[in-house]
Amino acid sequence: MKFSEFEYKRIDLEETKKKIGEITEAVKNASSADAQIEEIYRMNDVMKEISTADSLVYIRYTINTKDEFYAKEREYNDHISPMLEEEFQKYNQALLESPFRSELEEKLGKVMFLNLELAMKGFSPEITELLQEESTLQTQYQSLLAGAQIEFRGGTYNLSQLGPFMQSQDREVRKAAYEASGSFFDKHQEELDEIFDKLVKNRTEQAHRLGMKNFVELGYVRRQRNCYAPEAIASFREQVVRDLVPIVCEIKKNQAERIGVEDLKIYDDSFRFPDGNATPQGTYDEIMEAGRRMYTEMSPETADFIKMMFDKELFDVVAKPGKAIGGYCCDIPGYGCPFIFSNFNGTAGDVDVLTHEAGHAFAAYMAEKNIKLLDLHLPSMEAAETHSMSMEFFATPWYELFFKHQTKKYELSHLEGTLDFIPYGCLVDHFQEVVYEHPEMTPQERNEAWLKLEKMYRPYLDLENMPFYGRGAGWQRQNHIYATPFYYIDYCLAQTVALQFWLEIEKDWKQAWEKYKMFVKRGGTDTFLGLVEGAGLASPVEEGCIREIAGHASGWLKEHKL
């Protein structure tokens, strides 16, 4: 069955609440751990139905945000989600209070119960209306950006389609493309500020109603941070500033010399070579076929995975009007498969989709084959992003299929980009921490805070005299800040682990692959730090981890200088 044939079944609120309630009562009345486990698997089927409906709506809405049917279904799902969560809380409570809990933990693992405790802490019926309002605001932001139609040099483009111009060899074209993109955000400044202001106040009120000081604490609960505290992240960011930012500054100095500019402006940041960045060599069909060949050759598991992806047409990656920006992988548990969404625009990012998002998809595929409970399919997001970011490096032997004579350029720029991303990710995280610790901030004060942090994490970048960016509003391009607060640091932690896999790949690809495969195969059966330790790798929040990785990567870049 192909994706277009997947049937969407709307969730009946009352019927589903009844099912959850019946299973909850059965858990309470069960006379043994085995009887409770039987009910846990019944609930697993209910969760699959809900997750499948949510996924199909989200995918089909983001493919075409103008589709009125799926727009309304998304509103409906956003509306009923907190009501279902209220019922799930009763079920969670029954499991946590089970007289057989120690036996359940022995059979199902402790991490499931750690996550249930966090779920209990992060919800109360008192915040149902606030959650519904939050979902509406998130959709408003996404719809606003998806509807962008920007006039540029005789054409009309959405934000994704401006990407190639923003990496043009002509510096004036790059500058003009950044200005055109920025002008869209400037034009909608008031609306963007209003949406975010409402989100900050809404999330702060949620935290207060749950008895928390601010949304920072609630944000960590929602992100399923089950093995470290905010203090560990603060220490990680400090290490990045101390040990990595100086190396990134050196990388950016070399980049400026390479492309022949004295001061690196915002519109030079992603332009790495004077004759242009590495770009995929071939048509859309040829790029997709190269991806098929890569995974077919990589391993027996990836060969089976990619065959399923193509057979079921589980991709929508071409940019088009009305399509949401960005990219993601989404699991569809009822059909036992993932889906990859993106916006190809002719840049190296197109290949990154076939490595990064396919890394997520491969992990979902492996979980479906090896883990029965949906709750244990996916780990917390730092580990999930490790799946995807590491796959980018495991694809190294096949880069030439995509980039041909530009392969060395891509390999160099990919590692440079990996390193300079981590400070940016920390900037996004630090900014959110400041914002939610000071919810009374005005839009201007938030922009000033962003500019101050820019100087800490990206001191090499000149933002002056650029509309939108120059006034400190560049953060409004970052979907995660509006839609998934405190997610972004997960990328940084994951990137730090992925770089350790890269070091292993440099020594022995096959041995590294076996280690990665076991990491992926474990899904969400352990905490992030537990999974990392189980793979024989260092915790990214451990003192000295960033310094060691940065040192090795810096040496590699010097040896492979172009």
Side-chain angles (χ1 to χ4, degrees):
M1 186 184 290
K2 300 184 188 307
F3 173 75
S4 59
E5 299 168 324
F6 288 5
E7 183 183 359
Y8 165 62
K9 293 180 182 177
R10 183 185 241 219
I11 296 300
D12 184 305
L13 176 61
E14 294 308 318
E15 183 184 322
T16 306
K17 284 170 66 175
K18 183 182 176 184
K19 283 183 189 175
I20 296 170
E22 288 172 352
I23 296 171
T24 300
E25 286 305 308
V27 167
K28 289 179 180 178
N29 297 324
S31 58
S32 68
D34 286 341
Q36 286 190 330
I37 288 172
E38 194 174 312
E39 298 307 320
I40 288 170
Y41 278 98
R42 278 184 65 204
M43 187 64 85
N44 194 55
D45 290 337
V46 175
M47 292 167 68
K48 274 190 175 184
E49 287 178 20
I50 296 169
S51 181
T52 299
D54 276 344
S55 294
L56 289 175
V57 166
Y58 184 73
I59 293 166
R60 287 170 177 164
Y61 169 75
T62 51
I63 287 172
N64 180 12
T65 59
K66 296 176 182 178
D67 186 314
E68 292 184 9
F69 174 78
Y70 283 108
K72 287 178 181 176
E73 290 305 289
R74 185 174 180 189
E75 285 179 20
Y76 172 75
N77 285 348
D78 287 346
H79 178 72
I80 69 168
S81 179
M83 300 179 197
L84 292 174
E85 182 61 30
E86 190 173 336
E87 298 305 311
F88 277 122
Q89 290 293 89
K90 298 170 188 174
Y91 166 75
N92 293 344
Q93 191 69 45
L95 285 179
L96 291 170
E97 293 176 352
S98 168
F100 313 109
R101 177 167 168 176
S102 59
E103 201 175 333
L104 292 174
E105 287 185 354
E106 189 177 324
K107 292 184 176 183
L108 300 175
K110 290 187 177 182
V111 71
M112 178 175 166
F113 289 85
L114 277 175
N115 293 339
L116 286 177
E117 287 171 353
L118 288 173
M120 291 295 294
K121 192 175 179 182
F123 180 81
S124 162
E126 291 181 41
I127 66 168
T128 294
E129 289 184 8
L130 290 170
L131 287 170
Q132 291 168 336
E133 180 192 34
E134 182 185 20
S135 293
T136 300
L137 291 166
Q138 289 166 333
T139 302
Q140 283 177 15
Y141 170 80
Q142 191 172 45
S143 298
L144 176 63
L145 267 60
Q149 290 290 284
I150 301 166
E151 300 296 323
F152 185 74
R153 303 212 162 193
T156 304
Y157 306 92
N158 63 25
L159 289 166
S160 299
Q161 291 168 330
L162 279 178
F165 298 107
M166 296 170 91
Q167 294 185 17
S168 169
Q169 292 181 48
D170 188 325
R171 199 181 193 202
E172 288 305 311
V173 172
R174 294 200 303 274
K175 181 181 179 183
Y178 269 82
E179 288 174 339
S181 173
S183 68
F184 169 80
F185 288 88
D186 280 342
K187 181 181 176 182
H188 296 280
Q189 177 181 348
E190 188 176 335
E191 191 174 353
L192 288 162
D193 285 341
E194 183 182 356
I195 291 172
F196 191 67
D197 202 58
K198 287 179 178 177
L199 281 169
V200 170
K201 288 177 170 55
N202 173 295
R203 289 165 177 161
T204 300
E205 180 60 22
Q206 287 184 47
H208 289 166
R209 290 191 190 182
L210 292 170
M212 300 179 193
K213 182 181 177 182
N214 55 43
F215 185 72
V216 176
E217 184 180 350
L218 179 55
Y220 270 63
V221 168
R222 293 257 170 90
R223 296 297 340 138
Q224 216 174 72
R225 304 266 157 82
N226 53 21
C227 56
Y228 55 86
E231 292 76 16
I233 295 303
S235 172
F236 175 79
R237 293 194 309 247
E238 288 170 7
Q239 290 183 66
V240 167
V241 171
R242 184 190 68 211
D243 299 327
L244 182 56
V245 168
I247 287 173
V248 171
C249 286
E250 188 65 27
I251 289 170
K252 289 298 179 179
K253 181 183 174 185
N254 292 336
Q255 179 184 334
E257 290 174 359
R258 208 160 55 213
I259 64 175
V261 300
E262 290 185 10
D263 297 316
L264 205 68
K265 306 286 187 182
I266 182 73
Y267 47 86
D268 300 317
D269 188 40
S270 60
F271 183 71
R272 297 183 184 272
F273 299 96
D275 57 345
N277 289 356
T279 55
Q281 302 298 296
T283 63
Y284 162 77
D285 288 333
E286 288 168 338
I287 298 304
M288 294 298 289
E289 188 54 40
R292 187 206 298 258
R293 178 180 166 187
M294 173 175 71
Y295 287 113
T296 301
E297 295 176 356
M298 191 176 282
S299 76
E301 296 86 359
T302 54
D304 290 342
F305 153 72
I306 204 66
K307 183 178 186 304
M308 175 196 70
M309 294 296 291
F310 275 90
D311 287 350
K312 296 187 177 183
E313 298 179 354
L314 297 167
F315 298 93
D316 192 297
V317 295
V318 177
K320 48 185 177 272
K323 189 175 181 180
I325 64 171
Y328 63 78
C329 172
C330 189
D331 194 19
I332 314 172
Y335 289 94
C337 60
F339 186 90
I340 291 176
F341 170 100
S342 186
N343 285 272
F344 275 17
N345 60 9
T347 67
D350 298 351
V351 176
D352 296 339
V353 169
L354 293 177
T355 54
H356 182 99
E357 299 304 342
H360 284 306
F362 177 65
Y365 167 80
M366 291 289 279
E368 183 66 33
K369 287 176 68 74
N370 296 291
I371 301 170
K372 291 181 180 179
L373 281 178
L374 201 58
D375 274 341
L376 299 177
H377 268 208
L378 291 178
S380 52
M381 291 314 298
E382 325 92 315
E385 293 300 344
T386 301
H387 297 158
S388 55
M389 290 174 160
S390 300
M391 186 63 88
E392 295 177 30
F393 289 112
F394 280 104
T396 302
W398 291 271
Y399 285 167
E400 196 169 352
L401 292 178
F402 303 99
F403 295 101
K404 306 294 192 276
H405 63 286
Q406 298 186 20
T407 299
K408 287 185 178 179
K409 278 206 301 186
Y410 176 74
E411 192 170 2
L412 182 71
S413 62
H414 179 253
L415 184 58
E416 286 185 344
T418 297
L419 295 172
D420 66 42
F421 170 81
I422 294 175
Y424 172 71
C426 288
L427 160 61
V428 170
D429 183 70
H430 200 159
F431 172 72
Q432 291 177 98
E433 184 178 283
V434 170
V435 164
Y436 289 109
E437 284 181 348
H438 303 280
E440 74 285 352
M441 276 181 160
T442 64
Q444 184 178 342
E445 287 171 334
R446 290 183 194 123
N447 291 347
E448 288 169 358
W450 177 264
L451 285 176
K452 182 179 178 181
L453 291 169
E454 277 274 18
K455 291 175 183 174
M456 180 189 300
Y457 291 101
R458 302 200 293 181
Y460 55 83
L461 208 55
D462 185 354
L463 303 172
E464 287 183 19
N465 303 317
M466 283 296 291
F468 176 56
Y469 300 95
R471 63 180 175 86
W475 59 270
Q476 292 185 326
R477 284 185 59 91
Q478 195 59 64
N479 172 64
H480 302 70
I481 294 175
Y482 282 80
T484 49
F486 292 106
Y487 187 138
Y488 226 64
I489 197 68
D490 294 345
Y491 290 120
C492 302
L493 298 174
Q495 199 69 278
T496 307
V497 180
L499 282 163
Q500 293 182 66
F501 273 119
W502 167 70
L503 291 173
E504 299 270 343
I505 290 165
E506 286 288 292
K507 298 172 191 171
D508 186 324
W509 190 97
K510 286 186 178 179
Q511 190 174 321
W513 175 257
E514 289 304 313
K515 185 178 284 192
Y516 170 76
K517 194 167 66 176
M518 287 307 299
F519 182 92
V520 170
K521 200 173 182 180
R522 293 183 67 196
T525 59
D526 204 345
T527 65
F528 169 58
L529 294 184
L531 291 168
V532 170
E533 184 181 349
L537 303 173
S539 161
V541 297
E542 184 180 300
E543 177 65 38
C545 180
I546 280 285
R547 181 169 58 248
E548 184 176 350
I549 291 168
H552 282 295
S554 177
W556 189 96
L557 290 172
K558 286 173 183 174
E559 287 177 20
H560 296 80
K561 196 172 181 179
L562 292 179

